[in-house]
Amino acid sequence: MTQRFSTMTRHLGSSAVRDILKVTQGKDILSLAGGLPAEAFFPVAAIREAYDRALSGGGTALQYGLTEGFLPLRERLCEQMAADGCRVQPDEMLMTTGSQQSIDLIARIFLDPEDVILVEAPTYLSALQVFQSYQAVPVAVETDEHGMLPDDLEAKLLRHHPKFVYVIPTFSNPGGNVWSLERRNAVVELCRKHGVLIFEDDPYGKVKFNPDVNFPSLYSIDQQYGDNGNVIYTSTFSKTVAPGVRSGWVMADASIIRMAAKAKQASDLHSSLIDQRALHELLGFFDLQGHIRTVSAEYYARMVKMTSLMQDRKWEGVSWIEPQGGMFLWVQMPEHVKADVLLQHAVREGVAFVPGQVFYSDGSGYNRMRVNFTHTDPHLLPEAIERMDRAFRSYAAAAVSV
Amino acid sequence: MTQRFSTMTRHLGSSAVRDILKVTQGKDILSLAGGLPAEAFFPVAAIREAYDRALSGGGTALQYGLTEGFLPLRERLCEQMAADGCRVQPDEMLMTTGSQQSIDLIARIFLDPEDVILVEAPTYLSALQVFQSYQAVPVAVETDEHGMLPDDLEAKLLRHHPKFVYVIPTFSNPGGNVWSLERRNAVVELCRKHGVLIFEDDPYGKVKFNPDVNFPSLYSIDQQYGDNGNVIYTSTFSKTVAPGVRSGWVMADASIIRMAAKAKQASDLHSSLIDQRALHELLGFFDLQGHIRTVSAEYYARMVKMTSLMQDRKWEGVSWIEPQGGMFLWVQMPEHVKADVLLQHAVREGVAFVPGQVFYSDGSGYNRMRVNFTHTDPHLLPEAIERMDRAFRSYAAAAVSV
């Protein structure tokens, strides 16, 4: 029987990363494709303790909860955000089950078919897919390693009057780069000038290799203007605690949060109260900031090990900018290299990555790849890079023989 | 600043129940409005043990998981469903964060603006709201206490060629009634004949007052036809374990499950792996069937207590059919009574219910109310009914004085 699916389903892409993982299943593959944090560093004992505490208070933790989220958790998060220079009240915050839900809810309350949104090039693949599932049209703003180019942004704000500008200014996915303060200020100012919202996605901001450097969020910069916020900010505990706690949050003007809560109520009523209470307990007794420093230092070590292994191979025309945080290395290859074809060679050799093209709304980036350095065990990295080396050679040989 | 929200937001209703609860907040109100299970009966110790076991295995429980859900949990659920006469494979099952998400995902993959769906009259308020948020048009099929009327169903299948027929055949919300076997067979047959899917919502099926009576699901009846399933079935652990575990599931033809999983991936990647693993542990060591029998017996006792208190009042023209399970009493009042006005009197007297109108897609049901008997502590029931009595009298006095 042919199903009469909705129009939206024609725009529901499958995740390229998950497709790659499916191909590799059951095979001896070292995957650098996923965006997974290192399991060995999950604070399992503390999380176990936190759940036990959350469930020690009787049945209340197991009842239906507020759509907006567990109030004591929101209050605590507001305090934490204040330490990052963001003034936010609990009614300007919505708990979600992670960044993916935050993105989906914001898309849901803002996007109609044909609506334009502006994005970086490259940008987060799954966000692009969500926006496209609502039949919105992502338009790429010219972007360099310091962020969006203000001139092009302004031209496109004027031309398209987009619903919002979606950005990952700190350790972006896949680029791994950090926007300069100048660009942050310029983008906030331009969007205010033209009355267009900014949607700031910040899953990696805490995972920084130099703990003493601070990158102010666009949300905090926007607050210097003093009136209602023009930035919707989302972050998650997936990279700082663990993905399994399925907890993220959105901060925005209260009118936006109210509407997003309505959409969340229709989507799933509310996030797991057990998970939220456990997280609240965890933030009470666990040194999360210290934990994040430990994890970030380990990720830095893994990134350095990987890039030095890659450097040793002296792949011709292959380069990257060393990231200052986050989870990804964004690799530039010579113009003649097609990353999707290279991937087929790589999978045969037992290694996987994500071809760059999927991170662009316009199909460019074919000669780039995203490589994750956080998940693969460091002692396996030499073997992974050895396999990448064989893939490059096999690709070159096949190209010559055509 | 006026937000440029999407068209969908104009169709995002707020939950009438939550609106009522907001009005009553901070006041001494005995609420019979919600659909909450009794907290005192949550198996807290077992759930605590289950989370502890789930988190004893190290970091794997905290990593990203499959969108479709934790496979061992799906396998166990398939076995349980087999005991209820449903043949289902893990690839025909999707774990969700509860019925609300199941309904949203099915709506998302099937409904375009102007699509018609057929529903019972009355039907589940929040489902109606989700369908309407996708700008679908719910059309009510004539319904009596035995289920949808086949003739009217067939006429409307022919006239509207709806995307699906949404039904709650067992202890419906708000009706509390059970479809007869004859009607179940007829509806399954008619929908097959006209190639229209059935969407069967079964959150309360296990909460039955006579444990020896079985009501076959439409899903199981449909399987007697032997080929691809024509029924999408959803249920939840919210009423049998606790809402806090945020776990439900959808069963359907694999092609539908694949598409629903794509939609779930865009919505929230996957459900909490911790919650799913804990649930899997719980089903392994906890006597859930025995627990459900205990809870159902308690709910039966509460229902009997409430209805006998109501009977003692001899409210003129007020009647109900005693439910065989579920959580609600569906009360018929005289034609001249407007339940929404009565509610204002009730709230002043310190008691709340849900006026019937909100459960209809066409605005009828104004002289009905839904009363929950599971959540209020039994020793408070006499006071609640006393307040209802005062509300009726105050309503009548106000009506006379007009």
Side-chain angles (χ1 to χ4, degrees):
Chain A
M1 174 172 159
T2 310
Q3 305 296 349
R4 293 187 293 148
F5 288 126
S6 64
T7 309
M8 169 178 264
T9 60
R10 293 203 296 271
H11 305 271
L12 266 181
S14 174
S15 153
V17 176
R18 284 181 178 238
D19 289 348
I20 291 164
L21 294 179
K22 238 177 234 174
V23 172
T24 63
Q25 234 166 22
K27 289 181 193 161
D28 163 38
I29 298 266
L30 293 171
S31 177
L32 312 174
L36 278 62
E39 281 166 37
F41 284 80
F42 291 158
V44 182
I47 290 174
R48 195 175 171 189
E49 169 74 23
Y51 275 85
D52 200 54
R53 290 191 192 192
L55 288 166
S56 70
T60 321
L62 295 167
Q63 192 52 282
Y64 285 108
L66 282 180
T67 301
E68 292 78 4
F70 185 50
L71 183 59
L73 176 60
R74 278 184 288 150
E75 286 170 346
R76 194 179 283 275
L77 258 174
C78 287
E79 287 166 25
Q80 290 200 355
M81 293 309 308
D84 291 336
C86 300
R87 295 183 310 278
V88 54
Q89 301 296 322
D91 70 343
E92 297 166 324
M93 181 179 277
L94 172 73
M95 296 306 300
T96 66
T97 56
S99 294
Q100 188 73 31
Q101 187 179 55
S102 305
I103 293 168
D104 183 54
L105 292 176
I106 294 303
R108 192 159 167 157
I109 66 169
F110 281 108
L111 300 182
D112 281 319
E114 312 303 322
D115 276 350
V116 168
I117 49 164
L118 300 185
V119 298
E120 296 170 88
T123 190
Y124 176 47
L125 166 65
S126 296
L128 272 185
Q129 289 183 324
V130 171
F131 301 148
Q132 285 165 339
S133 81
Y134 289 91
Q135 301 169 58
V137 181
V139 171
V141 174
E142 284 177 41
T143 309
D144 66 17
E145 69 267 37
H146 307 297
M148 281 183 169
L149 301 183
D151 287 352
D152 193 51
L153 173 62
E154 181 152 38
K156 285 173 177 159
L157 285 170
L158 283 167
R159 191 178 320 145
H160 300 291
H161 199 38
K163 277 287 175 80
F164 54 72
V165 181
Y166 172 78
V167 294
I168 312 171
T170 310
F171 318 133
S172 73
N173 177 1
N177 56 309
V178 179
W179 284 26
S180 68
L181 185 58
E182 192 192 339
R183 290 287 174 82
R184 288 172 194 251
N185 286 326
V187 167
V188 168
E189 195 189 334
L190 282 172
C191 287
R192 281 203 159 252
K193 179 174 160 193
H194 296 284
V196 173
L197 289 165
I198 294 173
F199 183 13
E200 177 177 27
D201 189 5
D202 186 29
Y204 309 106
K206 293 281 174 195
V207 185
K208 52 189 181 184
F209 298 151
N210 182 345
D212 301 326
V213 179
N214 286 316
F215 307 104
S217 60
L218 304 194
Y219 185 95
S220 68
I221 291 172
D222 179 75
Q223 287 197 316
Q224 293 165 6
Y225 290 83
D227 55 355
N228 289 345
N230 195 48
V231 176
I232 304 166
Y233 173 97
T234 180
S235 188
T236 169
F237 289 100
S238 290
K239 324 297 179 191
T240 53
V241 178
V245 297
R246 304 304 308 130
S247 290
W249 70 95
V250 183
M251 304 173 343
D253 189 73
S255 65
I256 295 174
I257 292 298
R258 271 196 303 277
M259 192 58 85
K262 272 191 178 189
K264 181 168 168 69
Q265 190 177 311
S267 296
D268 67 357
L269 288 185
H270 65 87
S271 302
S272 164
L273 199 50
I274 303 177
D275 293 351
Q276 290 182 75
R277 280 177 176 258
L279 197 52
H280 179 250
E281 291 289 340
L282 188 80
L283 297 177
F285 73 82
F286 180 66
D287 176 17
L288 183 60
Q289 300 315 318
H291 174 72
I292 293 171
R293 277 194 297 277
T294 307
V295 172
S296 301
E298 171 68 21
Y299 288 173
Y300 176 68
R302 291 184 183 193
M303 184 275 291
V304 167
K305 180 162 187 181
M306 179 180 273
T307 50
S308 88
L309 284 163
M310 286 167 66
Q311 227 135 20
D312 292 348
R313 295 292 172 164
K314 302 195 196 322
W315 294 319
E316 211 185 305
V318 175
S319 67
W320 56 85
I321 293 168
E322 195 164 285
Q324 300 177 62
M327 299 169 63
F328 303 110
L329 199 65
W330 182 232
V331 180
Q332 170 85 58
M333 296 183 288
E335 273 192 31
H336 62 82
V337 176
K338 292 190 171 56
D340 54 350
V341 181
L342 177 64
L343 176 61
Q344 295 168 18
H345 292 266
V347 168
R348 268 198 295 276
E349 298 295 341
V351 65
F353 58 84
V354 185
Q357 208 163 336
V358 302
F359 300 100
Y360 289 84
S361 56
D362 63 357
S364 58
Y366 67 90
N367 62 333
R368 288 177 172 269
M369 62 177 167
R370 190 193 77 175
V371 178
N372 167 269
F373 52 77
T374 60
H375 188 245
T376 304
D377 209 297
H379 79 264
L380 293 172
L381 282 179
E383 176 62 25
I385 300 305
E386 166 67 27
R387 291 179 185 183
M388 272 303 299
D389 191 61
R390 286 205 297 268
F392 270 119
R393 281 185 281 132
S394 144
Y395 176 88
V400 167
S401 72
V402 168
Chain B
M1 172 171 160
T2 310
Q3 304 297 349
R4 294 187 293 147
F5 288 126
S6 63
T7 308
M8 170 179 263
T9 60
R10 292 204 296 272
H11 305 271
L12 267 183
S14 174
S15 154
V17 177
R18 284 179 181 241
D19 289 349
I20 292 165
L21 295 179
K22 237 177 236 172
V23 172
T24 64
Q25 236 167 20
K27 291 183 194 159
D28 163 36
I29 297 267
L30 293 171
S31 178
L32 311 174
L36 279 63
E39 281 166 36
F41 284 80
F42 291 160
V44 182
I47 291 174
R48 195 175 172 188
E49 169 74 23
Y51 274 85
D52 201 55
R53 290 192 192 191
L55 289 165
S56 70
T60 320
L62 295 166
Q63 191 53 280
Y64 285 108
L66 282 180
T67 301
E68 291 78 3
F70 184 49
L71 184 58
L73 176 59
R74 279 184 287 149
E75 288 170 344
R76 194 180 285 272
L77 257 175
C78 288
E79 287 166 25
Q80 289 199 357
M81 293 310 306
D84 291 336
C86 300
R87 295 183 311 276
V88 54
Q89 301 295 322
D91 69 343
E92 297 164 324
M93 182 180 275
L94 173 73
M95 295 308 300
T96 66
T97 55
S99 293
Q100 188 72 30
Q101 187 179 54
S102 304
I103 293 168
D104 182 55
L105 292 176
I106 294 302
R108 191 160 168 156
I109 66 169
F110 281 107
L111 299 183
D112 281 318
E114 312 302 322
D115 277 350
V116 168
I117 48 163
L118 300 185
V119 298
E120 294 168 89
T123 189
Y124 176 47
L125 166 66
S126 296
L128 272 185
Q129 288 182 324
V130 171
F131 302 148
Q132 284 165 340
S133 81
Y134 289 92
Q135 300 167 59
V137 181
V139 171
V141 175
E142 285 176 39
T143 308
D144 65 17
E145 69 266 36
H146 307 296
M148 281 183 168
L149 301 183
D151 286 352
D152 193 51
L153 173 62
E154 182 153 36
K156 284 171 176 159
L157 285 170
L158 282 167
R159 190 178 321 144
H160 300 291
H161 198 40
K163 275 287 177 79
F164 53 71
V165 181
Y166 172 77
V167 292
I168 313 172
T170 309
F171 317 134
S172 73
N173 178 357
N177 57 308
V178 179
W179 286 25
S180 68
L181 183 59
E182 192 192 339
R183 290 284 175 82
R184 287 173 195 250
N185 285 325
V187 167
V188 167
E189 195 190 332
L190 282 172
C191 286
R192 281 205 158 249
K193 180 177 160 191
H194 295 284
V196 173
L197 288 166
I198 293 172
F199 183 12
E200 178 179 26
D201 190 4
D202 187 30
Y204 310 106
K206 293 282 174 195
V207 185
K208 53 189 180 184
F209 298 151
N210 181 346
D212 300 327
V213 179
N214 285 314
F215 308 104
S217 61
L218 304 194
Y219 185 95
S220 67
I221 291 171
D222 179 77
Q223 287 198 315
Q224 293 166 6
Y225 291 84
D227 55 354
N228 289 344
N230 195 49
V231 176
I232 304 167
Y233 174 99
T234 181
S235 189
T236 171
F237 287 100
S238 291
K239 322 297 177 191
T240 54
V241 178
V245 297
R246 303 306 306 133
S247 291
W249 69 96
V250 183
M251 306 175 339
D253 190 73
S255 65
I256 295 174
I257 293 298
R258 273 197 302 276
M259 192 58 85
K262 272 191 176 187
K264 182 169 167 68
Q265 190 177 309
S267 297
D268 68 356
L269 288 184
H270 64 88
S271 301
S272 164
L273 198 49
I274 302 177
D275 293 351
Q276 290 183 75
R277 280 179 177 258
L279 197 51
H280 179 249
E281 291 289 341
L282 188 78
L283 296 179
F285 72 81
F286 179 66
D287 177 17
L288 183 59
Q289 300 315 318
H291 174 73
I292 293 171
R293 275 193 298 276
T294 306
V295 173
S296 301
E298 171 69 19
Y299 288 173
Y300 175 69
R302 292 184 183 193
M303 184 274 291
V304 167
K305 181 163 187 180
M306 177 179 275
T307 51
S308 87
L309 285 164
M310 287 168 64
Q311 227 136 21
D312 291 348
R313 295 292 172 166
K314 301 194 195 326
W315 292 321
E316 211 186 305
V318 175
S319 67
W320 55 85
I321 293 168
E322 194 164 284
Q324 299 177 62
M327 299 169 61
F328 303 110
L329 200 63
W330 182 231
V331 179
Q332 170 85 57
M333 295 182 289
E335 272 192 32
H336 63 83
V337 176
K338 291 193 171 55
D340 53 350
V341 181
L342 177 64
L343 176 62
Q344 296 168 18
H345 292 266
V347 167
R348 267 198 296 276
E349 298 297 340
V351 65
F353 58 83
V354 184
Q357 208 164 335
V358 301
F359 301 100
Y360 290 83
S361 56
D362 63 358
S364 57
Y366 67 90
N367 61 334
R368 289 178 172 267
M369 63 176 166
R370 190 192 77 176
V371 177
N372 168 269
F373 53 77
T374 62
H375 188 247
T376 303
D377 210 296
H379 78 265
L380 293 172
L381 283 180
E383 176 62 24
I385 300 306
E386 166 67 29
R387 292 180 184 183
M388 272 302 301
D389 191 60
R390 286 204 297 267
F392 270 118
R393 280 183 284 133
S394 143
Y395 177 86
V400 166
S401 72
V402 168

